[in-house]
Each structure stands twice: as C-alpha cells, then as structure tokens.
Amino acid sequence: MVVSDITKVQAIEGFMRLCADGWEQGWHERNGGNLTYRMTKDDVEACRPFFYNPRPWVKMEVKAENLAGEYFITTGSGKYFRNVALHPHHNIGIVEINEEGDSWRIVWGLINGAQPTSEFPTHFMNHSVRKAATDGANRVIYHCHATNIIAMTYVVPLTNKAFTKALWQSATECPVVFPEGVGVVPWMVPGGHDIALATSELMKTFQAAVWAQHGLFVSGPDYDTAFGLAHTIEKSADVYCKVMATGHPVLQTITDDNLKAIAKEFGVTLNQDMFD
Ligand SMILES: [Zn+2]
C-alpha cells in the first residue's frame, strides 16, 4: 500500500502505538525504556519513499553477521516515549545495518542530530540471538521500567528459578505465556557491553529477562506479542507485590502439580529447570 505519510505505514504505526501503550502503563518515566523492530522487506519498501540521504555509518563494538543488511526502527537516545506520537520524526528513526553487520546509519527520522537509543548495541545483540533462536520469527525487542517487576528484584532471590516460580504462581496465564520461564540479570551498568552480553546469553533460552533494580527486557515476533509478554509479566508481578504487601502468610498458591496440569491442558512444555 502506498501512503503519503510514513506514520501510516503499519510497522511505524504499530511502533508508535507500543510507545504510547508503554507510556500509559507508567513504564517510561522521563526518557526511560527503548524499543527496536527488525523490519520485513515489505516494511522497508513501504518506508523507502520517505528515506533521506543516509547519515554516516557508525561502528558498534558488537557485530552480528545474521543482521547484515537489515533495517531497524528504533527509539532515540534520550528521547521520551510520551513524545513519540507527537513528533515521531524527532523521537524515532530507521537505521540500516551494513554488510559486515557491525555498523548502522540513519536513513529516516531522528532529525536534528538525534541518535538511536544508547541500548542499541544491546538490542542488536539480542536481535541476533532471538533471530537465530526463532528461525527468523522474532522481530521486536522492548525494554521498559515495569514498576512491580523492579520491586520484586529487592525481595526475590535473583535466580531464573525463583523469579519464574514467583511469576508462574502469581497468575494462572503465566506458564502458558512464557513456559520457558524468565531469565534474571543481576544489577549491571546499563548501556554497556557487559549487560548486552549477559542478557543475550539468557535470551538464547528465554523470551524475557528481568534486569535487577532496573526493569524488563522482552522479545517477540510482533508488537502485540512482545508488549503482551511484558504486560503479562508485570501484571503477575503486581499480584505478587500486592500479596506480599498484605503481610498475611500465603495460605495457598498454584502448586507444581497445578502448573503441570495447565501445561498439559494448553499443550506447552514447562522448563524443567524451574522445578525441584
Ligand atoms: Zn532502562
């Protein structure tokens, strides 16, 4: 479909909607959070009429051969999710990846010298891992400051197992939505190579990683699935925190047998590492 405005291209429209939804959830105070989407060939062709002369190539510290020649939509560094819908050209952009898979250049948006999110190398490494892990199906990487999941990182041991069990037991839908569980990254300096590497190791197994005292990092094949995953995890974390806040002892929960019954009924395989 030929459109007169790039914001009417489905991939851009969905990107902007996710930013607005995340803002409305209260997960993107100030310039918190970031989002990237690996475009399809059709997405690129639909957006190409709006591309301008590309800005210079910028080399990254990371490299991913399976992302050579890809295009990504990305939020901008220091930009606010709440402003995306108002001024998309300023706050988001499209970058092209070079043939070596180690550099990007801006071909649309991020005007007035703006740059892709400072977490772009982290997203890039995780796109590489998720693309490989899902046979190319994964396209979205989303990071948000989901309040209750952050709160949990102060009181739940920072292990994949402890977090997965706490979340699975706090909302019945959870084992169906993320049967592999969630990964947990200990507190690390954001934006750097170390957190990118630690997260991408986990993302070989998990669709989602919890960043201690920081937020949530999720992936998905499309905007709805990725956002839905973050929303489901955060909802479960909300229940967990509310239960803890009552100060009452937990009288009953979803047992291991219950979890296995859910898995059987819904045809999913639960990660056995999460059981004793
Ligand atoms: Zn963050």
Side-chain angles (χ1 to χ4, degrees), residues 173-194:
E173 67 187 316
C174 287
V176 181
V177 177
F178 48 99
E180 74 287 354
V182 295
V184 179
V185 179
W187 186 89
M188 294 178 96
V189 175
H193 182 259
D194 291 349

Side-chain angles (χ1 to χ4, degrees), residues 27-29 31-34 119 143-145 190-191 211 214-216:
W27 301 341
H28 298 283
E29 72 288 345
N31 61 326
N34 29 71
E119 291 287 1
H143 165 56
C144 62
H145 295 172
W211 283 359
H214 184 157
L216 191 57

Side-chain angles (χ1 to χ4, degrees), residues 69 99 123 160 165 194 200 232 247:
E99 287 309 316
H123 281 238
N160 303 342
K165 279 303 271 294
D194 291 349
S200 63
T232 304

